[in-house]
Amino acid sequence: MFKFTNRRHFILTCVLAAICWQGTAQARNTRLVLPVGPVVSPKTAQQAPAAEGSATISGGDMAFVFGSAIPEGMTVLPGEIVIRGEIQPSFKNGYEDDIVCNKALKQALVYLVQRARANGANAVVGIVSYYNHGAIMDSVSDYECHAGATRAVVDLKARLARVEGLGASAGQTSRPVEVPAADNATARNQF
């Protein structure tokens, strides 16, 4: 093995090894709070009556209620759903944090719609940001996204509900929801 001739060479080698070791452990995790509006615009969906402290957006046969307040007149199904939307920055998805975060929110909303339809619900209520299953960010107009060099992540927690008179519940034929489809919405479904 190596035989150090004096103590000074040994100390210099240890210091250089420590400096090189620290350089590889850096990562980026930028917390962004972005508006929901550019992803789910009230212009493309009908505005429905909302409870105080919530924002309701109804599109086609599915309603979204952002914020923890749940409007009256909804039959809330038991249990909560936690969904993760995750997009990697690329030439196709863009490299700017806000663009990639908006696509991650779209993906999470598509997953919520899929779960709601699978459970016979026509509304997703109490939608709050729930990053890493930790602190809840309760907002009627904004969501929390964490962007890094390799991905953007949006975690949402919500409840499913039924609303009389909305979409198929009122005897209408079912139409697709007006949430833009995520690019790889069915590729990696994380329920």
Side-chain angles (χ1 to χ4, degrees), residues 20 39-40 42 55-56 66 82 92 101 107 109-110 113 117-118 127 133 138 142 160 165 171 184-185 187 191:
C20 291
V39 179
V40 181
T56 303
F66 291 89
V82 176
K92 179 181 177 184
C101 283
Q107 185 182 62
L109 290 174
V110 167
V113 168
R117 288 188 176 142
I127 303 172
H133 306 280
D138 186 1
D142 297 326
L160 301 179
N184 55 356
F191 295 129

Side-chain angles (χ1 to χ4, degrees), residues 36 51-57 65-69 127 138-142:
V36 174
E52 188 174 329
S54 70
T56 303
I57 299 173
V65 180
F66 291 89
S68 60
I127 303 172
D138 186 1
S139 174
V140 298
S141 60
D142 297 326

Side-chain angles (χ1 to χ4, degrees), residues 22 27 56 61 79 90 129 131 173:
Q22 292 296 322
T56 303
D61 65 343
S90 65
S129 293
Y131 180 69
T173 58

Side-chain angles (χ1 to χ4, degrees), residues 36-41 57 62-66 83-86 102-117 124 127 143 154 156 158 177-182 185 191:
V36 174
V39 179
V40 181
S41 174
I57 299 173
M62 191 68 59
F64 296 99
V65 180
F66 291 89
I83 296 290
R84 171 170 278 192
E86 186 174 315
N102 283 343
K103 289 189 179 200
L105 177 63
K106 285 180 191 178
Q107 185 182 62
L109 290 174
V110 167
Y111 291 160
L112 283 173
V113 168
Q114 290 172 350
R115 282 292 282 280
R117 288 188 176 142
V124 182
I127 303 172
Y143 69 98
V154 173
L156 299 177
V177 70
E178 296 179 26
V179 174
F191 295 129

Side-chain angles (χ1 to χ4, degrees), residues 4 9 21 24 34 43 51 53 57 59 80 84 95 113 120 126 136 145 151 155 162 188:
F4 292 101
H9 286 110
W21 187 278
T24 60
L34 299 169
K43 291 179 183 176
I57 299 173
E80 292 181 329
R84 171 170 278 192
Y95 291 101
V113 168
I136 293 174
C145 176
R151 64 187 174 164
D155 286 333
R162 289 190 188 103
R188 196 168 35 165

Side-chain angles (χ1 to χ4, degrees), residues 2 8-9 15 17-18 26 40 51 68 75 85 95 99 129 162-163 180:
F2 296 107
R8 199 177 320 160
H9 286 110
V15 168
Q26 301 298 321
V40 181
S68 60
T75 306
Y95 291 101
I99 293 172
S129 293
R162 289 190 188 103
V163 180

